[in-house]
Amino acid sequence: MHLPLEPLPGHTSRGRLERVLRRGEFAVTTELNPPDSADPEDVYNRAKIFDGWVDAINAVDASGANCHMSSVGICALLTRMGYAPIMQIACRDRNRIAIQGDVLGGAAMGVANMLCLTGDGVQAGDQPGAKPVFDLDCMSLLETCRIMRDNGKFLSGRKLTTPPQLFLGAAINPFAPPIDFRPHRLGKKIAAGAQFVQSQYCFDVPMFRTYMQKVRDLGFTEKCFILCGVGPLASAKTAKWIRSNVPGIHIPDAIIKRLEGAQDQKKEGKQLCIDIINEVKEISGVSGVHVMAYRQEEYVAEIVDESGVLKGRQPWKREIRRDDQMVADRLDRILHDDITETQVDMVKTAH
């Protein structure tokens, strides 16, 4: 439904996110908090609040080494309804055989975007006794996907019948030491195949501005689209806990003081996110924002709207089709009514 789009010259995928970025429009992506459930409605209820506000939705792959509905499963559900998912692939849990199979499976379902991650260690999650795999890392995973797409081959050299058409992404963290190395690490990911990157949460805009200056000096903004990670903080207490317990997230003291001084800390956390977006969108080389609102997903639309980053543009929105209710009524009749039809009767009814 609505995807894949017709192929365009210079595009490696047939998805909407690549189109938006290559047109020079400011892209907005977000994350779907995966449910601990086998009910597809739990996914759709979480996705529909993003309708008309984001260009793509990350399907998270067991982040923090905690088990939830799989990224592949979420992508299967989202593509069925016409959403544009970004399928995250973490190297922690699967070897190269399983990963290459997931890449093909995802592409066959209509997934156009893949985000290649090494993944957190199992000790970070609630099942530390699990056996980690790490057959690949983010660099070799990017190379694997690029080889499959561009060379039409598995890592073994065996040919693919139909290569996947993919827009490849990776994660960056401009705020983790060694700071001077971070721009060069981005260069390694670009060389491995990254076409877009999403950053860790940005709460220190001056530090991110310095990072972007070095990235521009190295010429990387001409080779890769950079999306800055942003998100609302629920309270000063939450910010302190994240700073102390979540590796790689840098939250300056000034941010915590601002939250502590607010009468409504949750509202101030949302405004803080909007203010950061308005600052980073003016930084040369920033192509979009990745809004991560864990357990505050209902704020994403407000944040995007009030920041004005879309400039009147409306990303794809699921529209109810006229035949949706007809199909639902027909299924309800088949499943619940006592009327028994023969196959001949059903054919006659259809005509």
Side-chain angles (χ1 to χ4, degrees), residues 18-283:
E18 184 178 9
R19 302 276 171 108
V20 168
L21 288 167
R22 292 198 185 280
R23 284 198 301 263
E25 295 174 327
F26 199 83
V28 179
T29 60
T30 192
E31 290 189 351
L32 187 147
N33 181 27
D36 295 338
S37 166
D39 186 349
E41 286 304 314
D42 288 340
V43 173
Y44 294 136
N45 288 336
R46 296 179 187 205
K48 67 184 180 182
I49 62 176
F50 303 135
D51 279 9
W53 296 105
V54 303
D55 296 297
I57 302 172
N58 282 35
V60 177
D61 188 15
S63 63
N66 292 307
C67 185
H68 310 285
M69 185 186 289
S70 72
S71 175
V72 173
I74 291 172
C75 286
L77 295 170
L78 293 181
T79 54
R80 181 186 299 175
M81 292 298 178
Y83 291 100
I86 299 173
M87 190 169 98
Q88 292 190 3
I89 304 177
C91 298
R92 174 191 57 247
D93 306 313
R94 300 182 292 285
N95 66 16
R96 67 190 67 189
I97 297 173
I99 286 174
Q100 289 173 93
D102 283 348
V103 169
L104 292 182
M109 292 185 297
V111 176
N113 317 292
M114 296 202 177
L115 193 76
C116 301
L117 306 168
T118 298
D120 300 310
V122 294
Q123 67 276 5
D126 58 2
Q127 299 183 63
K131 290 186 178 180
V133 180
F134 294 115
D135 185 24
L136 303 174
D137 62 11
C138 61
M139 300 291 188
S140 53
L141 176 53
L142 281 165
E143 291 176 350
T144 298
C145 294
R146 180 173 51 82
I147 288 169
M148 293 176 72
R149 183 193 67 197
D150 297 347
N151 299 347
K153 295 179 180 180
F154 289 111
L155 286 180
S156 66
R158 183 157 50 90
K159 290 185 178 180
L160 295 170
T161 304
T162 303
Q165 296 175 298
L166 302 172
F167 191 45
L168 298 179
I172 57 171
N173 191 348
F175 315 103
I179 301 299
D180 292 340
F181 174 67
R182 292 299 162 183
H184 300 284
R185 183 164 175 80
L186 170 60
K188 292 178 182 292
K189 293 187 177 184
I190 293 171
Q195 297 165 285
F196 75 96
V197 292
Q198 296 171 329
S199 88
Q200 180 59 276
Y201 285 103
C202 173
F203 295 110
D204 191 328
V205 176
M207 182 179 287
F208 184 68
R209 191 176 285 114
T210 300
Y211 171 84
M212 288 300 302
Q213 179 63 58
K214 293 178 180 178
V215 166
R216 290 195 302 271
D217 292 344
L218 292 167
F220 294 154
T221 54
E222 299 171 8
K223 302 176 182 179
C224 181
F225 299 101
I226 298 175
L227 280 68
C228 179
V230 296
L233 289 166
S235 65
K237 181 179 178 181
T238 299
K240 290 178 180 178
W241 186 91
I242 291 173
R243 185 167 68 173
S244 300
N245 295 278
V246 182
I249 297 184
H250 168 65
I251 303 178
D253 290 338
I255 296 294
I256 294 175
K257 289 180 180 178
R258 174 174 169 176
L259 292 172
E260 288 176 334
Q263 289 185 342
D264 186 336
Q265 293 192 8
K266 196 168 188 178
K267 183 178 180 181
E268 188 66 23
K270 187 188 80 169
Q271 186 59 49
L272 170 67
C273 181
I274 294 169
D275 292 345
I276 290 174
I277 291 175
N278 284 324
E279 286 192 71
V280 300
K281 72 181 182 184
E282 301 300 329
I283 299 175

